Amino acid sequence: MSELLTTPLHALHIELGAKMVPFGGYDMPVQYASGILAEHKHTRAAAGLFDVSHMGQVLLSGPGADAALETLVPVDIVDLPVFKQRYALFTNDQGGILDDLMVTRRENDLFVVVNAACKTQDIAHLQAKIGHLCSVTPLPDQALLALQGPQAVTALARLNEGVQKLVFMTGGHFVLDGIDCFVTRSGYTGEDGFEISAPADKAVQLARALLAQPEVKPIGLGARDTLRLEAGLCLYGHDIDTTTTPVEGSLTWAIQKVRRVGGARAGGYPGAAVVDTQLAQGAARKRVGLISTERMPVREGAKVVDASGAEIGLVTSGSLGPSLNQPVALAYVSTAHAAVGTPVFALVRDKKVPMAVTSTPFVPNRYHRG
């Protein structure tokens, strides 16, 4: 085993009593003393601070950067206005998903955030495929903090009241506690909140300034996972991967009309033919939400069967949803069983747990759309 990497906040996590676990090649806090359930509920009620510095941050710059990025993603980047953010997907030649990412257009560049476990290959992918068309600049000296929850704006506005002007999926430059930061109003919990890119050597100062606010508590990866699951959000490597297409993954909302057949900039990205065919004809399987009235949690890897016991799919994420107090899961099922309301069963230790296909998010999103 190679030695685990650490984020700039590692010593602070230890000081705060975190239980540390390996994640994406990093030593990360899974929970603090109060535990996952309390942290989950605190984020839903007030504000939670997450260390997401293990994620990859990259700048794409140069006059052709937006068009260059469009050769790798099925997403409209060229028409993205300044300080607007968009969710995107790197695809392979089979239409499978190499990673999901966030892209924000700034004055002179595109600010890209990719997943921790994929960042080395993502950066290599960008450099190999479009490095001759634009500058690809990794930002290893930037930390990333997420402040999430209904009171996140109250807490952050004490450091700079200008953040209140941001709406969901927009960003801007802000000075927080004397630190130059780039802030987007976005996140991975289904709540209102912010992601803050700050110099690594100022990360502890910023985290302490945020934790000093009465609404804010530190939150670990355990609650981050239950929060994103309730929000119906995919975890790369689990709910989406190189074997799943955007259509199978129920992510077609991320593919704007301009990039679809008949659009001004249709296709031109890896796997476009596969994705276009599935957009037109549908896919054989689909990612859906599942919910159960029983108490038995259904975990990743559980098989999904129909009433006759025939296998129809697989659970990719599952947990007891703390906000609902019911088991929830994301799963791939055959399209014939994907309609909302369809009764199915998950196999847990050979027991058939009754579940129903449901729309996601399981808990209503509370993004601040202005």
Side-chain angles (χ1 to χ4, degrees):
M1 285 292 291
S2 57
E3 198 169 321
L4 291 174
L5 300 167
T6 57
T7 74
L9 297 180
H10 189 265
L12 181 60
H13 297 312
I14 304 296
E15 179 190 318
L16 295 170
K19 179 185 175 189
M20 307 297 286
V21 297
F23 182 83
Y26 282 76
D27 195 29
M28 295 295 288
V30 67
Q31 65 178 79
Y32 298 87
S34 62
I36 292 170
L37 189 63
E39 291 174 26
H40 178 109
K41 291 186 170 175
H42 182 83
T43 306
R44 287 265 184 260
L49 182 66
F50 301 76
D51 179 11
V52 288
S53 303
H54 57 314
M55 308 276 279
Q57 300 178 64
V58 189
L59 292 185
L60 304 180
S61 54
D66 48 7
L69 184 55
E70 281 198 1
T71 66
L72 301 180
V73 301
V75 176
D76 177 8
I77 306 294
V78 167
D79 299 326
L80 188 62
V82 176
F83 294 128
K84 287 284 201 299
Q85 185 177 46
R86 197 158 271 168
Y87 175 82
L89 304 154
F90 288 131
T91 50
N92 64 19
D93 291 339
Q94 293 75 46
I97 300 168
L98 295 171
D99 198 10
D100 59 348
L101 56 148
M102 299 296 280
V103 183
T104 311
R105 187 190 290 279
R106 309 198 302 187
E107 306 96 322
N108 302 308
D109 56 41
L110 297 171
F111 173 67
V112 177
V113 178
V114 299
N115 284 302
C118 303
K119 71 179 172 185
T120 304
Q121 67 216 47
D122 286 349
I123 291 165
H125 182 61
L126 286 164
Q127 286 169 335
K129 300 291 186 185
I130 63 171
H132 60 293
L133 300 171
C134 64
S135 296
V136 179
T137 312
L139 301 174
D141 297 326
Q142 289 289 111
L144 195 64
L145 283 68
L147 186 67
Q148 299 284 301
Q151 294 175 22
V153 64
T154 306
L156 194 59
R158 288 199 200 97
L159 302 188
N160 188 323
E161 60 185 22
V163 299
Q164 297 172 88
K165 296 194 189 80
L166 293 177
V167 294
F168 182 57
M169 299 294 273
T170 68
H173 301 278
F174 296 90
V175 177
L176 303 172
D177 200 46
I179 304 163
D180 289 328
C181 299
F182 185 70
V183 180
T184 59
R185 198 159 190 169
S186 63
Y188 194 47
T189 60
E191 296 292 336
D192 183 22
F194 302 87
E195 294 199 341
I196 307 162
S197 177
D201 60 359
K202 298 284 202 307
V204 172
Q205 178 193 332
L206 179 60
R208 289 192 192 279
L210 292 168
L211 290 168
Q213 308 307 314
E215 302 84 0
V216 182
K217 287 184 178 173
I219 311 294
L221 290 174
R224 181 171 159 85
D225 194 51
T226 54
L227 289 158
R228 69 90 196 166
L229 177 56
E230 286 187 343
L233 299 171
C234 293
L235 175 60
Y236 188 79
H238 300 259
D239 310 300
I240 49 174
D241 59 27
T242 54
T243 70
T244 58
T245 69
V247 180
E248 292 171 332
S250 300
L251 297 171
T252 55
W253 55 267
I255 307 177
Q256 290 75 25
K257 274 187 188 166
V258 73
R259 301 303 309 279
R260 299 187 185 208
V261 171
R265 298 191 310 283
Y269 59 89
V274 176
V275 174
D276 287 340
T277 300
Q278 289 187 352
L279 282 168
Q281 300 173 8
R285 60 177 184 154
K286 196 177 172 197
R287 181 177 63 87
V288 297
L290 300 178
I291 194 163
S292 176
T293 51
E294 295 203 1
R295 296 285 301 153
M296 174 89 73
V298 173
R299 305 289 181 195
E300 177 180 356
K303 288 176 179 173
V304 182
V305 299
D306 65 12
S308 75
E311 195 174 322
I312 55 167
L314 192 71
V315 171
T316 53
S317 286
S319 167
L320 190 70
S323 307
L324 300 162
N325 209 21
Q326 284 176 270
V328 293
L330 298 177
Y332 282 83
V333 298
S334 59
T335 303
H337 295 86
V340 169
T342 305
V344 298
F345 300 87
L347 294 182
V348 180
R349 294 192 289 277
D350 297 328
K351 181 182 184 294
K352 284 165 75 172
V353 178
M355 303 193 86
V357 175
T358 184
S359 56
T360 57
F362 300 103
V363 173
N365 291 333
R366 296 199 285 181
Y367 304 129
H368 178 72
R369 298 183 186 273

